[in-house]
Amino acid sequence: MTNLLILPILIPLFTAIILMFISKYVKLQRGISALSTLGTVAASLVLINTVHHDGIQTVNLGSWEAPFGITLVSDMFSALLVTTTSIIAFIVLLYSFKSIGVDRERFYYYPVVQFLLVGVNGAFTTGDIFNLFVFFEVMLMSSYVLLVLGGTKAQLREGIKYILVNVISSALFVITVAYLYSVVGTLNMADISRKIAEVDQPGIITAIAILFLLVFGLKGAIFPLYFWLPGSYYAPPTPVLALFGALLTKVGVYSIIRTYTLFFYHYTGFTHEILSILAILTMVLGCIGAIAYWDVKKIIIYNIVIAVGVILFGVSTMNPEALEGAIYYLVHDMIIKAALFLLVGVMIAITGTANLKKMGGLIKHYPWLGWTFLVAAFSLAGIPPLSGFIGKFLIVRGSFAAGAYVGAGVVLASSLLVLYSVIKIFLNGIWGTPKEYNGVSKGDARYLWMTSAVLVVLAVFYGLGAEAMRPLFSQATEVLVNPNLYIDAVLKE
């Protein structure tokens, strides 16, 4: 069982390679990719169980001992994220069968999704800062292909912008890693954490911390670096948008959480204060965007930005309760964003438009779609007892304990504005006067709704079963609050 944590990376990798050779056989590709992703989900669930009972799992690739070789590390935080990622990828694949179109399916859509899974799961699992860069690149390469697959004018235009931003941030990433390496002389994350404590130059460490914030902030869409996100995420078709919205920014957020709790916790005064200010501004500007638009996709896209702010604000307080809330909310947000993008995709498929002013009355012919959307909207806004409430509640309580009252107030205010933005979709698109639509057939619409509803049901259970899952989140938080647990597990001391 020692190599269990490589499976969520290896299964999609081998699947992608096999799928490359059978790109013309669409049905075979669907079957193989669905089965393999189900296998990844199973492997990651076993991984959670193993980490829960046996503690942090590590694998030294090529049998080189840490810190000299490349180490993969799976603590509860990364195991939870890997599992969530695999489940979302599985549901999105099922949704794609009826919505992505045969042209894209023949053009390597399925292998590229598997490569994306390799990059995301790898980034969550690696214990080596340079390897984090490598997995980031695997993820980004796949996202470039998914963004332009289909070749519409908007996709190509946004694709160029997206690639430019990411090429610059990747170059910055390598420079930052090199700078860090020149100071501490190691790339192993646990070893970096230990050596940073011995470097008596807070100025240099703070500069590196801010550089990392810049790099990961670009990937995670934190203020003021989120300018590329609304356009780039708007261009691709629904399943791709759901994958991007649920997974890509979260890898940037995960990287900020991991580095700020493992490396830069010695001199938190300046760095975490900046993180806190940026998180508050991210929430504010996300709210303005979410309220301003009448386009269903844009509204949910700006809600991604708000969530990034909420999670990172929880992290900036460095309070154990707020950190636990941030992890809980991160998983909640991945599930509910994927669900909402897929549900909005069903609405667009039926009506043929993303403009709320041209929709209305969907509840008459598609009542199931309307009520599922309402539950997802309430969960996103954090109405108790749904999953959004618990994460926010812990973040706010932890913020009050840490004396961060302004940010806690902004988190609470943002909840109301999030609720307003999604209820606007419900009242104008789903309620209201029915109109004539000639989009997808009712059968196809029902299939798309059923796949997205699985995620909504999952989010509901995630909220109602919070108490049962609390031990897992406490275990995940423990490692963030006490980095020595991570260091000892990797360096085996």
Side-chain angles (χ1 to χ4, degrees):
M1 294 296 272
T2 47
N3 295 344
L4 184 68
L5 62 144
I6 307 183
L7 286 179
I9 303 167
L10 282 187
I11 297 173
L13 177 64
F14 287 127
T15 310
I17 294 166
I18 293 164
L19 291 175
M20 298 276 279
F21 293 106
I22 53 166
S23 62
K24 298 288 170 278
Y25 306 99
V26 172
K27 285 196 168 142
L28 189 59
Q29 283 199 83
R30 288 177 180 175
I32 291 176
S33 53
L35 276 174
S36 119
T37 314
L38 202 54
T40 314
V41 172
S44 49
L45 286 169
V46 176
L47 179 62
I48 284 191
N49 189 41
T50 312
V51 174
H52 185 51
H53 292 297
D54 305 337
I56 298 172
Q57 302 291 306
T58 62
V59 169
N60 295 321
L61 299 182
S63 298
W64 283 79
E65 286 304 306
F68 305 108
I70 291 171
T71 310
L72 294 177
V73 186
S74 196
D75 61 351
M76 187 52 80
F77 182 30
S78 91
L80 285 167
L81 293 181
V82 165
T83 308
T84 313
T85 300
S86 309
I87 292 171
I88 289 169
F90 177 64
I91 302 292
V92 170
L93 275 174
L94 295 181
Y95 187 95
S96 304
F97 296 167
K98 289 257 195 261
S99 72
I100 197 78
V102 174
D103 293 345
R104 288 191 175 97
E105 290 182 304
R106 287 217 175 101
F107 219 83
Y108 304 106
Y109 170 74
Y110 293 114
V112 176
V113 170
Q114 296 294 335
F115 277 126
L116 185 78
L117 203 49
V118 173
V120 175
N121 283 348
F124 289 148
T125 311
T126 182
D128 177 286
I129 193 76
F130 186 75
N131 251 46
L132 181 64
F133 167 73
V134 173
F135 281 120
F136 253 111
E137 290 308 300
V138 172
M139 176 185 91
L140 289 171
M141 298 286 179
S142 318
S143 67
Y144 299 155
V145 179
L146 288 173
L147 184 58
V148 297
L149 201 59
T152 63
K153 194 173 167 189
Q155 281 179 292
L156 296 171
R157 185 185 65 237
E158 292 301 335
I160 293 169
K161 192 164 80 177
Y162 179 74
I163 289 173
L164 271 175
V165 166
N166 279 301
V167 165
I168 293 165
S169 86
S170 296
L172 244 173
F173 196 168
V174 177
I175 293 165
T176 310
V177 169
Y179 191 17
L180 179 64
Y181 184 74
S182 69
V183 176
V184 294
T186 179
L187 292 169
N188 181 291
M189 289 182 176
D191 206 30
I192 291 172
S193 177
R194 204 175 55 174
K195 296 225 166 99
I196 279 184
E198 296 160 11
V199 176
D200 197 26
Q201 291 170 307
I204 289 182
I205 299 301
T206 301
I208 294 174
I210 296 299
L211 276 173
F212 269 122
L213 184 58
L214 205 67
V215 171
F216 297 140
L218 253 176
K219 314 266 197 217
I222 185 174
F223 172 85
L225 307 168
Y226 69 90
F227 57 88
W228 55 271
L229 181 128
S232 302
Y233 280 20
Y234 190 80
T238 304
V240 176
L241 168 61
L243 282 174
F244 282 16
L247 307 179
L248 296 198
T249 44
K250 305 306 182 292
V251 180
V253 171
Y254 163 82
S255 307
I256 293 176
I257 296 176
R258 182 64 85 196
T259 49
Y260 268 54
T261 54
L262 189 61
F263 301 171
F264 308 119
Y265 64 95
H266 306 285
Y267 318 103
T268 56
F270 181 69
T271 46
H272 289 59
E273 197 165 307
I274 283 197
L275 181 60
S276 148
I277 292 165
L278 291 181
I280 291 171
L281 288 170
T282 308
M283 286 187 272
V284 170
L285 281 135
C287 286
I288 293 171
I291 294 169
Y293 283 97
W294 279 86
D295 183 300
V296 284
K297 274 159 83 171
K298 278 268 165 69
I299 292 171
I300 311 289
I301 287 170
Y302 273 100
N303 271 302
I304 299 178
V305 180
I306 300 171
V308 168
V310 172
I311 296 160
L312 290 178
F313 177 71
V315 175
S316 71
T317 62
M318 287 303 270
N319 170 287
E321 194 168 25
L323 273 171
E324 187 177 341
I327 297 174
Y328 188 89
Y329 196 78
L330 177 58
V331 174
H332 144 80
D333 194 63
M334 289 166 79
I335 297 170
I336 208 69
K337 283 293 187 306
L340 278 167
F341 279 124
L342 295 181
L343 286 168
V344 161
V346 182
M347 290 167 68
I348 293 168
I350 294 167
T351 58
T353 175
N355 185 341
L356 263 182
K357 292 180 175 169
K358 294 180 183 166
M359 289 185 190
L362 282 171
I363 196 128
K364 186 175 177 200
H365 296 296
Y366 305 93
W368 24 271
L369 173 65
W371 298 120
T372 316
F373 182 85
L374 189 64
V375 172
F378 281 165
S379 184
L380 179 75
I383 305 282
L386 298 165
S387 53
F389 168 73
I390 295 142
K392 275 189 182 161
F393 175 69
L394 289 170
I395 291 173
V396 169
R397 215 162 70 169
S399 310
F400 278 138
Y405 300 116
V406 176
V410 176
V411 171
L412 292 171
S414 75
S415 299
L416 292 173
L417 296 174
V418 167
L419 184 62
Y420 169 75
S421 72
V422 278
I423 289 298
K424 185 161 86 172
I425 299 179
F426 183 77
L427 291 178
N428 294 286
I430 289 168
W431 218 246
T433 1
K435 296 181 181 171
E436 278 296 309
Y437 300 119
N438 39 19
V440 293
S441 70
K442 210 157 184 184
D444 281 0
R446 183 169 274 131
Y447 172 84
L448 294 177
W449 162 75
M450 277 163 67
T451 41
S452 14
V454 175
L455 285 172
V456 180
V457 170
L458 199 65
V460 170
F461 278 120
Y462 181 58
L464 298 176
E467 200 53 48
M469 295 187 69
R470 188 84 194 256
L472 302 182
F473 288 93
S474 303
Q475 197 175 343
T477 314
E478 222 172 288
V479 179
L480 300 186
V481 175
N482 180 6
N484 288 326
L485 295 170
Y486 185 95
I487 297 168
D488 295 344
V490 176
L491 302 176
K492 310 254 188 303
E493 288 175 355

